[in-house]
Amino acid sequence: MRKFKKRLIVACRVFEKELTTLLSPVDELLFLEFGYHKRPDLLQKKLQHIIDSAEGFDVILLLYGYCGGTLHLKAGNIPVIIPKANDCFDIMLGAEVRMQIFSEEPGTYFLSEGWIRQDGTPYEKIKRFRKAAEKRGINLISEFYNGYKRLFLVNTGVLSKESRSRVQNSALRLYWKFEEKRVGIQNIQRLINGEQEEGCMVLNPCGMSFSLKEYNARDNKTFDQSLQQGS
């Protein structure tokens, strides 16, 4: 496994509490505001600009899933590591675990400490926009939450009692089932440590992409020189 001296880690603020407890002082952490996932075209442009402008780092690690348009990004002068994940909940839980949870109940709404702090709970959002929606004849539950039956709280180890209570209240008010899964912080930690070899891909400055496992398996200098030569 490669050891990087200095990393630039770019992440959504949904990971703020987790990452601030994990990172080395030599790492640089850049948070982007929550909500970019609703405009993946803008997020992709923002991430590409950061990649193209970065200097002085051995690697750039993006804590974004495919919702951020990561499949369309290109490396600049620095290799870029990207998780093989649809969104942040794949990163927290692991893609297979997330799919299993979803297959058990397709009407599952996922939340975490970061999501609650940044966006609130479904019931809180309904209360926030109810008056404006009623004036326009919009039923918020049927318009935005139709088909949901379960609130699933992903506990990465930084969950507050207040946040748990807010989610439980939301589930109660909406007549949804409430479940909580404690996964700890290890999935995120293994990701930023470069240990999820099967779960990440590397974009190289030569324009090619590789699995992190293949990238780590090669001799660093020989592999990097061959990539620059396009072989």
Side-chain angles (χ1 to χ4, degrees), residues 98 102 105-110 122 140-152 174-177:
R98 165 80 180 284
F102 187 77
E105 174 51 76
T108 298
Y109 192 102
F110 291 89
L140 290 174
I141 295 179
S142 61
E143 185 76 17
F144 297 105
Y145 300 113
N146 186 38
Y148 285 108
K149 300 177 181 178
R150 175 172 68 170
L151 260 179
F152 197 97
L174 295 173
Y175 301 99
W176 294 357
K177 183 179 179 180

Side-chain angles (χ1 to χ4, degrees), residues 166-199:
R166 288 167 62 187
V167 177
Q168 289 173 327
N169 180 64
S170 184
L172 181 66
R173 296 284 187 173
L174 295 173
Y175 301 99
W176 294 357
K177 183 179 179 180
F178 168 80
E179 287 188 37
E180 178 181 339
K181 184 176 181 65
R182 184 179 178 88
V183 296
I185 208 167
Q186 59 266 20
N187 283 336
I188 299 172
Q189 186 169 29
R190 290 182 65 241
L191 178 62
I192 65 173
N193 287 346
E195 298 171 7
Q196 289 198 12
E197 293 186 320
E198 299 290 350

Side-chain angles (χ1 to χ4, degrees), residues 7-220:
R7 303 174 298 179
L8 171 61
I9 299 177
V10 185
C12 174
R13 285 201 178 274
V14 75
F15 291 112
E16 187 169 8
K17 287 188 72 174
E18 289 88 349
L19 289 179
T20 51
T21 67
L22 288 175
L23 294 190
S24 163
V26 299
D27 294 318
E28 184 166 325
L29 180 57
L30 175 61
F31 285 117
L32 301 186
E33 292 304 316
F34 178 86
Y36 267 114
H37 64 282
K38 298 175 183 177
R39 289 295 307 274
D41 54 334
L42 294 181
L43 178 54
Q44 181 188 337
K45 291 179 181 178
K46 182 72 172 179
L47 292 174
Q48 189 63 63
H49 176 72
I50 293 170
I51 291 170
D52 293 341
S53 304
E55 295 180 353
F57 300 97
D58 298 315
V59 70
I60 300 170
L61 172 59
L62 302 182
L63 253 70
Y64 276 96
Y66 303 146
C67 62
T70 54
L71 290 174
H72 303 288
L73 295 173
K74 296 181 180 180
N77 296 319
I78 304 170
V80 180
I81 298 178
I82 297 174
K84 296 179 182 178
N86 289 301
D87 57 25
C88 61
F89 290 107
D90 275 4
I91 294 174
M92 296 178 201
L93 289 163
E96 292 185 4
V97 174
R98 165 80 180 284
M99 183 55 66
Q100 180 181 354
I101 294 170
F102 187 77
S103 64
E104 292 170 356
E105 174 51 76
T108 298
Y109 192 102
F110 291 89
L111 284 172
S112 69
E113 173 70 23
W115 269 85
I116 298 162
R117 287 186 294 107
Q118 296 293 329
D119 199 40
T121 70
Y123 180 68
E124 290 168 350
K125 287 191 283 187
I126 288 172
K127 286 180 61 179
R128 193 183 313 154
F129 300 112
R130 177 174 287 161
K131 289 185 178 180
E134 287 176 351
K135 289 181 180 179
R136 299 173 60 184
I138 298 174
N139 185 312
L140 290 174
I141 295 179
S142 61
E143 185 76 17
F144 297 105
Y145 300 113
N146 186 38
Y148 285 108
K149 300 177 181 178
R150 175 172 68 170
L151 260 179
F152 197 97
L153 181 57
V154 181
N155 183 351
T156 60
V158 298
L159 181 68
S160 67
K161 292 181 180 179
E162 178 189 359
S163 293
R164 179 186 288 112
S165 178
R166 288 167 62 187
V167 177
Q168 289 173 327
N169 180 64
S170 184
L172 181 66
R173 296 284 187 173
L174 295 173
Y175 301 99
W176 294 357
K177 183 179 179 180
F178 168 80
E179 287 188 37
E180 178 181 339
K181 184 176 181 65
R182 184 179 178 88
V183 296
I185 208 167
Q186 59 266 20
N187 283 336
I188 299 172
Q189 186 169 29
R190 290 182 65 241
L191 178 62
I192 65 173
N193 287 346
E195 298 171 7
Q196 289 198 12
E197 293 186 320
E198 299 290 350
C200 292
M201 59 182 175
V202 180
L203 306 181
N204 198 272
C206 70
M208 303 173 69
S209 62
F210 301 86
S211 70
L212 182 57
K213 184 176 183 178
E214 181 179 9
Y215 192 66
N216 285 336
R218 309 272 187 116
D219 173 75
N220 291 5

